[in-house]
């Protein structure tokens, strides 16, 4: 371990160089389709009333990509439309790398890890090549920033600033709004209120700037998963996506999906109780991870790049309060292997079309991989309360 930490700066430099070479030297190293959507949608503000009519199809003729984000996102992205796309794409790529390092560093600070910057460098060097980050780089996605803002809220002791981080993140992309459950669960009432107010502020600002298109989003388009993409593709690792592949059609929120969602919610509640009842210091990272994993499974669509939360999960399993348990190390190793291989990505080569939900049973069940691994992880966390009844279960961190 000491040798790895000593080599961490070199490993990170090589990893960054290799990723940039992959992006810019290989024919299909990156297409930045989502970044094109961000900027294209923002650019549509120049023509009033066209924001949610915009679609990007230059590289995706079989799947024209509409602007599906809250109107505040278009306002935030608009200044980037004034720059050449190539400049924005390079800055975005470097920003993802810096953000990845930031979320690892924040995860360690929340845990109280005092291993210096080398440990964060090592995690970042490896994290660049995991499936959630590979797809983030390929598409030019924004999820690293979303996770970073939520972790900043967890780390920050000032309620107004923590709430502002969550509210702004939710204003750009709705999924971080589930972090309000974390704030309520740890009884940070003022931070939760600030988050709601900040989100409301983003809505008010977007209506003031954009007008009718902003109102159209919140009254007509909000919650329409059909605009986001094909539910049944292997890249969708939510319960709805996984069960749709098994059933052979979009399961919607019918009984099988609702049962899975309800069972996951109960399991997440038990996992929360297990961590919250520890006699030691509150496990803030573990608690927010329970909420994030729940959100990933109950969302109608959780693309593989939404699963950036698996990087803080690895930090928690391998460096957190339960790292001395063999099960924690085994889960950490299992998740690491899983996301380095990229099973949903491999399965995508076997699906005839992203729009076809039906497939052979063995491919359908294999596509259950992220939900199944998440259930195992939450179940293990929940079982900690039974394994260590009535006492302090975690251990204090000692620097390597």
């Amino acid at each position: 371990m000491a040798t790895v930490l000593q080599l961490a700066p070199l490993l990170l430099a090589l990893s960054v160089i290799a990723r940039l070479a992959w992006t810019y030297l290989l024919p299909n190293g990156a297409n930045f389709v989502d970044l094109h959507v961000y900027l294209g949608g923002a650019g549509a503000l120049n023509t009033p009333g066209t924001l949610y009519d915009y679609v990007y199809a230059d590289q995706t003729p079989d799947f024209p990509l509409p602007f599906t984000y809250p109107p505040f996102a278009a306002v935030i992205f608009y200044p980037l439309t004034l720059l050449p796309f190539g400049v924005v794409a390079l800055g975005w790529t470097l920003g993802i790398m810096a953000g990845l390092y930031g979320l690892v560093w924040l995860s360690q600070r929340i845990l109280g890890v005092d291993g210096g910057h080398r440990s964060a460098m090592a995690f970042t060097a490896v994290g660049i090549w995991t499936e959630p980050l590979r797809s983030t780089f390929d598409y030019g996605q924004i999820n690293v920033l979303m996770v970073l803002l939520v972790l900043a809220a967890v780390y920050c002791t000032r309620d107004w600033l923590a709430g502002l981080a969550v509210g702004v993140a939710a204003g750009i992309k709705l999924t971080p709004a589930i972090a309000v459950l974390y704030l309520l669960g740890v009884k940070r009432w003022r931070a939760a209120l600030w988050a709601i107010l900040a989100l409301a502020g983003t809505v008010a600002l977007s209506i003031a700037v954009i007008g009718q298109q902003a109102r159209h989003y919140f009254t007509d388009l909000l919650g329409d998963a059909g605009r986001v993409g094909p539910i049944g593709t292997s890249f969708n690792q939510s319960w709805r996506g996984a069960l749709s592949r098994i059933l052979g059609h979009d399961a919607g929120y019918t009984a099988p999906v609702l049962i899975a969602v309800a069972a996951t919610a109960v399991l997440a509640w038990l996992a929360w109780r297990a961590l919250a009842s520890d006699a030691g210091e509150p496990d803030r990272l573990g608690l927010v991870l329970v909420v994030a994993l729940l959100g990933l499974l109950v969302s109608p669509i959780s693309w593989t790049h939404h699963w950036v939360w698996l990087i803080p999960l690895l930090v928690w399993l391998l460096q957190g309060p339960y790292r001395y348990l063999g099960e924690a190390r085994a889960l950490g190793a299992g998740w690491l292997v899983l996301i380095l291989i990229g099973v949903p990505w491999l399965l995508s080569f076997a699906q005839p079309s992203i729009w076809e939900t039906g497939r052979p049973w063995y491919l359908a069940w294999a596509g259950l991989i992220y939900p199944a691994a998440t259930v195992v992880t939450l179940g293990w966390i929940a079982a900690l309360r039974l394994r260590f009844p009535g006492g302090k279960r975690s251990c204090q961190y000692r620097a390597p």
Side-chain angles (χ1 to χ4, degrees):
M1 181 63 179
T3 302
V4 173
L5 292 180
Q6 290 173 357
L7 295 175
L10 175 61
L11 293 175
L12 178 57
L14 292 175
S15 190
V16 168
I17 292 170
R19 178 64 235 191
L20 290 174
W22 180 290
T23 299
Y24 287 101
L25 298 182
L26 295 183
N28 298 308
N31 52 32
F32 297 111
V33 290
D34 285 321
L35 185 57
H36 276 288
V37 173
Y38 299 155
L39 301 189
L45 296 182
N46 291 321
T47 306
T50 64
L51 174 58
Y52 292 105
D53 294 326
Y54 170 83
V55 293
Y56 176 76
D58 290 2
Q59 300 179 68
T60 57
D62 60 332
F63 179 18
L65 297 168
F67 187 87
T68 60
Y69 305 92
F72 180 68
V75 176
I76 291 295
F77 291 131
Y78 184 81
L80 297 180
T81 64
L82 305 178
L83 300 173
F85 183 83
V87 172
V88 176
L90 176 59
W92 198 270
T93 300
L94 296 174
I96 291 171
M97 294 174 178
L100 175 60
Y101 175 85
L103 68 87
V104 171
W105 185 86
L106 267 178
S107 298
Q108 293 175 330
R109 297 288 79 74
I110 294 169
L111 287 173
V113 171
D114 188 22
H117 290 279
R118 292 177 182 268
S119 179
M121 289 180 182
F123 269 100
T124 304
V126 175
I128 284 173
W129 299 101
T130 60
E131 181 173 32
L133 269 299
R134 291 200 302 263
S135 55
T136 293
F137 285 117
D138 290 346
Y139 304 144
Q141 258 288 339
I142 198 174
N143 292 293
V144 168
L145 176 59
M146 300 294 97
V147 175
L148 187 63
L149 286 172
V150 173
L151 289 178
V154 174
Y155 183 67
C156 182
T157 58
R158 296 184 179 181
D159 287 334
W160 71 270
L161 197 53
L164 182 64
V166 172
V168 169
I172 296 172
K173 192 169 185 176
L174 293 176
T175 49
I178 198 169
V180 174
L181 290 181
Y182 164 82
L183 296 174
L184 293 173
V186 296
K187 300 180 180 179
R188 295 186 66 178
W189 313 117
R190 286 182 296 182
L193 178 60
W194 274 109
I196 294 170
L197 291 175
L199 176 58
T202 67
V203 175
L205 177 62
S206 61
I207 291 176
V209 173
I210 303 176
Q212 185 275 335
Q213 284 286 283
R215 289 188 289 270
H216 174 53
Y217 175 83
F218 290 108
T219 57
D220 300 322
L221 302 180
L222 186 63
D224 183 3
R227 296 187 76 248
V228 180
I231 293 290
T233 176
S234 63
F235 293 117
N236 180 15
Q237 287 291 305
S238 68
W239 273 129
R240 181 173 170 181
L243 293 177
S244 294
R245 289 187 291 272
I246 292 172
L247 296 174
H249 59 85
D250 182 2
Y253 280 102
T254 54
V257 176
L258 291 178
I259 291 172
V261 166
T264 304
V266 171
L267 189 58
W269 176 70
L270 293 173
W272 178 282
R273 289 187 63 199
L275 295 181
S277 64
D278 193 335
E281 292 294 321
D283 187 350
R284 293 179 295 163
L285 182 59
L287 291 172
V288 76
L289 283 169
V290 168
V291 173
L293 292 174
L294 171 65
L296 287 166
L297 290 190
V298 304
S299 175
I301 290 182
S302 290
W303 303 126
T304 52
H305 51 74
H306 291 169
W307 289 78
V308 170
W309 278 105
L310 294 178
I311 303 300
L313 177 63
L314 287 176
V315 176
W316 183 78
L317 288 169
L318 300 177
Q319 293 190 316
Y322 301 99
R323 72 189 183 282
Y324 65 98
L325 297 178
E327 311 97 275
R329 294 193 294 271
L331 280 170
W335 271 115
L336 180 58
V337 170
L338 177 61
I339 60 180
L340 282 174
I341 293 174
V343 175
W345 171 72
L346 291 177
L347 291 173
S348 71
F349 293 101
Q351 62 185 13
S353 166
I354 59 175
W355 296 103
E356 291 188 26
T357 305
R359 64 205 65 207
W361 67 268
Y362 50 89
L363 295 177
W365 283 94
L368 197 67
I369 187 66
Y370 280 15
T374 301
V375 167
V376 171
T377 303
L378 291 175
W380 173 74
I381 296 173
L384 288 171
R385 194 177 188 193
L386 300 176
R387 181 171 177 180
F388 302 98
K392 180 174 170 58
R393 301 181 294 278
S394 59
C395 62
Q396 296 299 316
Y397 179 82
R398 290 190 294 273

